Amino acid sequence: MESLGVLITYPLFPYLEQELLRRGCHLLRLYHSPETNHLAFLRANASSIRAVVCDTHVGADAAMIDALPGLEIVSTFSVGVDKVDLVKCKERGVRVTNTPDVLTDDVADLAIGLAIAVLRKLPAADRFVRKGAWKTGGYPLTTKFSGKRVGILGLGRIGLAIAQRAEAFNCPISYHSRSRKPHPNYKYYPSPLDLASNCDILVVSCALTDETRLIINRAVIDALGPQGVLINIGRGHHVDESELVSALVEGRLGGAGLDVFENEPDIPEELFQLDNVVMTPHVGSDTVETSMAMADLVIANLEAHVIGRPLLTPVV
């Protein structure tokens, strides 16, 4: 990949940038330019840019693609491609790759961890010990995870991995996806509302599309109910966040474990005071091991493109 011009849209795992440099790539870092000057930066460097490496923070939208006439490939450091304008890429003949599979285990692990943390109120229990409250009395009873009815919205790679983990806790599994899956032990429901009405824990693990945007609305939240728990390791825009906050504050929803939010990193402050809400800063795949595997896959896709071999994980 000697002298390949690569636009990096956002600060990524350092190993990825180091490996691209080691392979002789010419890196142009969009994030060194003020956001208000991004378009000017792109135009000034357009002749050098053949590839874009992006992630879930700053992707490749239509304006960026139009500003880069020499662009050949977009390789996103994520499984989700909602920050990439796939229609524009198809129009321009720009190839797109992502990093599926390698992050499945970490995201599924976090989903189960969030569910247990919400039901057992682990962060609140930690604070209880740290502030010395244990010396004056015991911690209130919480709720078990084992045996809870787990509903999964989107039974793809990650959804299936979550289901398999939940099964180890003797949790009955149900799901809603665009179509039935070949898993006879899992009950299929034809709509998110039906699924929410028949589970204790609802896990959002579907891709973000026009059809799934705001798929968790007031009706679904109310169907989950005051004993139910919502876990979102998908995307913030899957959930009507204002309705979620209202339901949690009013007690119409039992709890939530959230790794993603509508306007990251801006989080509704009402959530900060709730012990039945556990939040993480969009770190579903953020382990050293998985980040290295994702970086290697990004690099392998770029190398395959440059030497004319089939892409490893093509999206477009």
Side-chain angles (χ1 to χ4, degrees), residues 56 78-80 82 103-118 150-163 165 201-208 212 215-216 229-239 244 256-262 264 278-286:
T56 58
S78 66
V79 64
D82 49 284
L103 50 67
T104 298
D105 285 341
D106 277 346
V107 179
D109 289 350
L110 182 64
I112 297 298
L114 283 172
I116 294 173
V118 172
V150 174
I152 299 174
L153 188 56
L155 200 68
R157 297 181 185 90
I158 293 172
L160 182 58
I162 294 168
R165 284 158 172 74
I201 301 167
L202 179 61
V203 184
V204 182
S205 64
C206 52
L208 181 62
T212 63
I215 196 169
I216 305 298
V229 170
L230 177 71
I231 304 296
N232 190 6
I233 46 79
R235 289 288 185 268
H237 289 287
H238 282 129
V239 178
L244 174 63
L258 308 170
D259 184 49
V260 290
F261 302 86
E262 186 175 3
E264 301 170 2
V278 177
M279 296 175 283
T280 51
H282 202 153
V283 294
S285 61
D286 289 1

Side-chain angles (χ1 to χ4, degrees), residues 46-285:
S47 62
S48 302
I49 298 171
R50 294 170 55 199
V52 168
V53 174
C54 57
D55 71 349
T56 58
H57 294 90
V58 180
D61 60 16
M64 177 183 291
I65 296 165
D66 282 338
L68 302 175
L71 182 62
E72 301 169 10
I73 184 169
V74 174
S75 188
T76 181
F77 185 73
S78 66
V79 64
V81 292
D82 49 284
K83 290 296 181 70
V84 179
D85 192 321
L86 298 180
V87 173
K88 177 63 70 172
C89 286
K90 288 179 182 178
E91 290 175 355
R92 279 276 310 276
V94 174
R95 309 174 86 180
V96 179
T97 67
N98 63 344
T99 58
D101 297 322
V102 294
L103 50 67
T104 298
D105 285 341
D106 277 346
V107 179
D109 289 350
L110 182 64
I112 297 298
L114 283 172
I116 294 173
V118 172
L119 290 169
R120 299 300 301 271
K121 297 187 177 179
L122 296 184
D126 177 84
R127 292 192 296 271
F128 181 85
V129 174
R130 289 176 186 271
K131 70 182 183 181
W134 195 9
K135 297 176 182 178
T136 61
Y139 191 70
L141 295 177
T142 56
T143 303
K144 69 184 297 184
F145 172 70
S146 295
K148 288 290 188 294
R149 299 173 299 163
V150 174
I152 299 174
L153 188 56
L155 200 68
R157 297 181 185 90
I158 293 172
L160 182 58
I162 294 168
Q164 291 167 341
R165 284 158 172 74
E167 280 190 286
F169 290 87
N170 296 316
C171 295
I173 306 299
S174 56
Y175 72 97
H176 169 74
S177 284
R178 286 174 295 181
S179 60
R180 289 180 183 268
K181 306 296 181 181
H183 299 288
N185 293 334
Y186 302 164
K187 183 173 178 58
Y188 172 79
Y189 284 99
S191 74
L193 184 61
D194 291 332
L195 179 63
S197 300
N198 290 279
C199 67
D200 304 305
I201 301 167
L202 179 61
V203 184
V204 182
S205 64
C206 52
L208 181 62
T209 64
D210 290 341
E211 291 74 24
T212 63
R213 188 176 296 270
L214 301 182
I215 196 169
I216 305 298
N217 54 27
R218 184 184 180 105
V220 171
I221 292 169
D222 285 345
L224 194 53
Q227 303 302 317
V229 170
L230 177 71
I231 304 296
N232 190 6
I233 46 79
R235 289 288 185 268
H237 289 287
H238 282 129
V239 178
D240 188 327
E241 195 164 84
S242 62
E243 289 290 352
L244 174 63
V245 171
S246 296
L248 289 164
V249 171
E250 296 167 10
R252 290 185 287 108
L253 182 65
L258 308 170
D259 184 49
V260 290
F261 302 86
E262 186 175 3
N263 297 302
E264 301 170 2
D266 297 322
I267 312 301
E269 293 186 5
E270 298 96 322
L271 298 177
F272 297 165
Q273 307 304 317
L274 300 177
D275 283 345
N276 60 340
V277 177
V278 177
M279 296 175 283
T280 51
H282 202 153
V283 294
S285 61

